């Protein structure tokens, strides 16, 4: 079921949470809605669920417009951030609850609850109460409950934010597996770029209620549309240094560096830490103030004219704090952004 | 820091409260129990002729006690469950509205801060046979006029007024507790229920009531205790504790205890003590039953 938003806007009393958003969530795919807190991603999700009514715009599930349809008739499954499992019901009762609302015979509901539990691999926990489960198990119960009534669209609100780091890795693979197995159109909200990158088929990056970029995860990383997207994706984050273009040469810290075919202007230079290559003949220069040895890589923290940057280099290269280093960028991978708006120039 | 098991300072801070509780609650409690067994107990001199269960026999044989016991039971068993259900419905209603919520909350809370005797007077006007608003309203539906509280009122009519009064005056506290309980329930439960197309009554019975069950249990137990101790409600409505046709027929157990205390007869304090112990045991049994039932139904 393809989900489509057309000019969707949601205004709260004095804030525009979602601002004229038009986007397509492809059928049978896992789409990540990514952005910092307060960017309108959860509002978008609740608009899709029907828990909020849009101020303007339309929502389509396939060819059917659902903008005016109440949540219970949209055929959606929603997994809340804190799961919202009914604490007084057993896991089985929780999963059966939506089915009982549909007046399904008890035996059939029980059967489906078991199948769902099996899908999310918690079938041995059916008699437990939510409190007796770990965060990851509760998450699975919530997914099972959302899937039990065979929704057209599965919505997940920050599904991994309440889990510890180890469980997070495990659970995100689990979500991907469940989504693949069921083939259900899934939309999930997250502020964690790594999470979005690792499991999404498509990512929508939002900022201040506006969609910045809609793309495949790797494309977003390699080809960000603006400074915000470039900064938001990647860990450690992208390095940003002030620079100026003078006569088609990029000037960084008063030194001519790389040729660029752009008119004279102030810009922001962005490059990824992993693209830093120490090279005595390299065009860029920095001063090391800290060296972090992390397993196979060495992370060097440097300053260029008081701006902090990070480079990840091969651990075999010997560097010391206080060294002035020259470096190049691998495959000439760098980005130039307009100084004020952050729009991508190159 | 290190745990200090003999932190005498702590006891020092508790002392003022503990001393008062010992003098005014613990000591009287034990003394009442003891007194109830003393024969020919003289309150002024403290003299008595040994222990027996004679006063308990007297209490159980007393026709006045039987009436008081019956009245208290009828009043409690009807007014407590009914007021809990009404309070629950009002709280859920109040919790679901936004406009006028504060105003309506104040209105529902007013009986709590109003003087019992004043309310009794107002009730006497409202339930007046000739010009009371109650008879006027039910008259529109062709019912009545009912005597309620006047000289010709029957036992049933008078009891109905007492029950209505008890229910109404006990609502504010219950509503306050339920409302604060409802406000702690995570809204996401209701959103989840809405997305799962849960009918309203099912949301109420399967989600609201279970999640509110600790409050409901607290209110049930304290309300039963309170209702068993009813005295001032009857006093403010029927000053002489009975209908004209049958004096004293509306008195409650606390009234009986009070009257036993009051009589100048020798050993009367011991009789009052015995009846107080009986009331205590009745309340204890009821509380124990509720605790037992609730154990299986309350979800913390």
């Amino acid at each position: 079921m393809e989900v489509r938003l057309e000019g969707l806007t949601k205004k709260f009393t004095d804030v525009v949470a979602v601002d004229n958003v038009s986007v397509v969530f492809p059928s049978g795919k896992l789409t990540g809605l990514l952005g910092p807190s307060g960017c309108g991603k959860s509002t978008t999700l609740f608009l899709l669920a029907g828990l909020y009514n849009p101020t303007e715009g339309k929502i389509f599930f396939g060819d059917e417009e659902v903008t005016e349809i109440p949540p219970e008739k949209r055929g959606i499954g929603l997994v809340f951030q804190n799961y919202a499992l009914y604490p007084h019901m057993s896991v089985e009762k929780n999963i059966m609850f939506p089915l009982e609302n549909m007046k399904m015979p008890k035996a059939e509901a029980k059967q489906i609850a078991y199948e769902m539990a099996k899908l999310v691999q918690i079938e041995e926990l059916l008699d437990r109460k939510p409190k007796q489960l770990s965060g990851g198990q509760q998450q699975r119960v919530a997914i099972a409950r959302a899937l039990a009534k065979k929704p057209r669209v599965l919505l997940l609100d920050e599904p991994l934010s309440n889990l510890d780091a180890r469980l997070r890795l495990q659970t995100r693979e689990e979500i991907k597996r469940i989504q693949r197995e069921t083939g259900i159109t899934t939309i999930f909200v997250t502020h964690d770029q790594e999470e979005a990158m690792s499991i999404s088929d498509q990512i929508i990056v939002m900022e201040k209620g506006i969609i910045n970029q809609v793309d495949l995860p790797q494309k977003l990383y390699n080809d960000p549309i603006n400074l915000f997207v470039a900064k938001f994706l990647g860990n450690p984050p992208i390095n940003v240094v002030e620079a100026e273009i003078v006569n088609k040469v990029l000037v960084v810290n008063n030194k001519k560096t790389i040729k660029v075919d752009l008119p004279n202007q102030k810009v922001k230079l962005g490059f990824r830490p992993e693209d830093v290559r120490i090279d005595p003949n390299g065009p860029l220069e920095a001063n090391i103030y800290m060296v972090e040895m992390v397993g196979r890589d060495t992370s060097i923290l440097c300053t260029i004219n008081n701006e902090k940057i990070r480079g990840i280099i091969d651990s075999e290269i010997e560097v010391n704090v206080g060294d002035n280093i020259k470096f190049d960028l691998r495959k000439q991978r760098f980005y130039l952004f307009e100084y004020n708006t952050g729009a991508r120039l190159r | 820091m290190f745990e200090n098991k003999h932190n005498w300072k702590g006891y020092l801070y508790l002392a003022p409260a503990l001393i008062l509780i010992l003098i005014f609650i613990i000591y009287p409690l034990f003394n009442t129990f003891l007194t109830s067994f003393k024969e020919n107990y003289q309150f002024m001199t403290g003299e008595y002729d040994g222990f027996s269960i004679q006063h308990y026999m007297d209490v159980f044989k007393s026709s006045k006690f039987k009436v008081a016991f019956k009245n208290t039971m009828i009043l409690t068993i009807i007014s407590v469950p009914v007021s809990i259900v009404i309070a629950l419905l009002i709280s859920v209603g109040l919790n679901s509205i936004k406009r006028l919520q504060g105003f309506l909350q104040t209105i529902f809370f007013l009986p709590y801060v109003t003087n019992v005797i004043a309310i009794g007077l107002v009730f006497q006007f409202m339930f007046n046979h000739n010009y009371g608003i109650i008879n006027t309203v039910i008259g529109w539906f062709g019912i009545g006029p009912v005597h309620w509280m006047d000289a010709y009122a029957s036992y049933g009519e008078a009891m109905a007024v007492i029950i209505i009064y008890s229910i109404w005056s006990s609502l504010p506290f219950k509503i306050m507790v339920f409302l604060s309980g409802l406000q702690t329930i995570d809204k996401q439960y209701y959103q989840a229920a809405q997305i799962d197309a849960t009918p309203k009554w099912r949301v109420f019975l399967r989600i609201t009531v279970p999640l509110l069950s600790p409050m409901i249990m607290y209110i049930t137990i304290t309300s039963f205790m309170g209702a068993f101790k009813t005295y001032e409600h009857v006093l403010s409505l029927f000053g002489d504790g009975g209908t004209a046709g049958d004096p004293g027929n509306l008195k409650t157990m606390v009234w009986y205890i009070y009257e036993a205390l009051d009589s100048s007869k020798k050993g009367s304090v011991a009789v009052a003590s015995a009846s107080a112990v009986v009331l205590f045991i009745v309340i204890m049994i009821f509380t124990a039953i509720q605790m037992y039932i609730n154990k299986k139904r309350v979800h913390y």
Side-chain angles (χ1 to χ4, degrees), chain B residues 110-126:
Chain B
L110 276 179
Y112 194 74
V113 291
T114 312
N115 183 291
V116 177
I117 305 298
I119 298 172
L121 280 172
V122 174
F123 262 63
Q124 281 174 19
F125 281 116
M126 285 172 63

Side-chain angles (χ1 to χ4, degrees), chain A residues 85-151:
Chain A
L85 295 175
Y86 307 122
H88 53 287
M89 296 183 201
S90 67
V91 168
E92 186 180 40
K93 288 265 160 62
N94 260 289
I95 303 175
M96 281 167 70
F97 194 77
L99 302 173
E100 286 171 357
N101 291 337
M102 295 159 63
K103 299 204 175 104
M104 183 183 280
K106 208 166 181 188
E108 202 184 335
K110 251 189 146 95
Q111 178 61 27
I112 291 180
Y114 180 75
E115 283 166 19
M116 286 302 135
K118 214 169 168 182
L119 173 71
V120 299
Q121 296 172 347
I122 47 151
E123 65 268 33
E124 72 282 5
L125 305 173
L126 281 171
D127 295 328
R128 300 258 190 103
K129 291 272 175 69
K131 259 189 204 158
Q132 298 167 295
L133 304 178
S134 70
Q137 290 166 335
Q138 289 185 23
Q139 165 78 276
R140 287 165 194 239
V141 177
I143 294 175
R145 185 177 68 181
L147 288 174
K149 54 179 180 178
K150 305 254 177 318

Side-chain angles (χ1 to χ4, degrees), chain B residues 217 220-222 224-225 228 279-298:
Chain B
M217 165 165 169
T220 310
I221 288 177
T222 53
F224 267 105
M225 288 179 185
F228 274 120
L279 176 59
F280 171 75
I281 290 166
V282 169
I283 293 177
M284 207 167 69
I285 292 169
F286 260 78
T287 309
I289 294 170
Q290 289 168 62
M291 295 280 238
Y292 177 75
I293 295 171
N294 284 327
K295 214 179 204 175
K296 293 174 181 169
R297 295 177 177 265
V298 175

Side-chain angles (χ1 to χ4, degrees), chain A residues 26-72:
Chain A
S27 178
K29 298 282 190 203
L30 183 59
T31 303
L33 260 173
L34 177 64
S37 57
C39 74
K41 56 192 189 304
S42 287
T43 309
T44 308
L45 197 79
F46 284 159
L47 285 167
L48 279 166
L51 293 173
Y52 293 158
N53 291 318
T55 315
E56 266 170 67
K58 289 175 180 169
I59 304 167
F60 293 89
F61 283 9
D63 294 327
E64 184 195 351
E65 190 188 335
V66 298
T67 322
E68 301 290 324
I69 293 178
E72 63 269 21

Side-chain angles (χ1 to χ4, degrees), chain A residues 51 71-72 76 78 80 82 84-89 93 97-98 100-101 131 145 149, chain B residues 186 188-199 202-203 206-207 210-211 299-300:
Chain A
L51 293 173
E72 63 269 21
I76 46 154
L78 176 57
F80 288 88
N82 56 9
L85 295 175
Y86 307 122
H88 53 287
M89 296 183 201
K93 288 265 160 62
F97 194 77
E100 286 171 357
N101 291 337
K131 259 189 204 158
R145 185 177 68 181
K149 54 179 180 178
Chain B
D186 195 330
Q188 292 205 328
Y189 293 129
Y190 293 107
Q191 292 179 328
Q194 192 191 359
I195 282 172
D196 292 338
T198 319
R202 208 159 174 259
V203 172
R206 294 289 305 273
I207 297 171
L211 290 179
H299 314 279
Y300 288 104

